[in-house]
Amino acid sequence: MMYLILPFLQVNVTEKLKVAPDSSYQTGVLIGSFLPFVLLVGVAYWMYYRAKNTDGKK
């Protein structure tokens, strides 16, 4: 099922930056492309921190 959805999720950032009307649009595209990665790293760190703290309480 993931093979069907994955091609639709890939975004060509360089193409979007080429046709950007101004610099604020470019900034928004860059933030929008990095934000999911940053959130994923934050959630992973939070899960690691919680698991590490609950391990020491046993």
Side-chain angles (χ1 to χ4, degrees):
M1 183 65 152
M2 195 63 159
Y3 297 114
L4 298 173
I5 297 172
L6 191 59
F8 294 112
L9 296 177
Q10 294 178 350
V11 177
N12 192 356
V13 175
T14 55
E15 184 63 32
K16 281 192 169 192
L17 291 178
K18 283 183 187 176
V19 297
D22 59 354
S23 64
S24 62
Y25 183 80
Q26 291 176 353
T27 305
V29 168
L30 289 176
I31 290 172
S33 63
F34 288 122
L35 189 62
F37 176 72
V38 170
L39 290 177
L40 183 65
V41 168
V43 168
Y45 178 75
W46 176 75
M47 290 173 65
Y48 169 75
Y49 182 75
R50 293 277 304 216
K52 184 177 155 186
N53 280 346
T54 57
D55 240 3
K57 291 182 181 178
K58 290 184 180 179

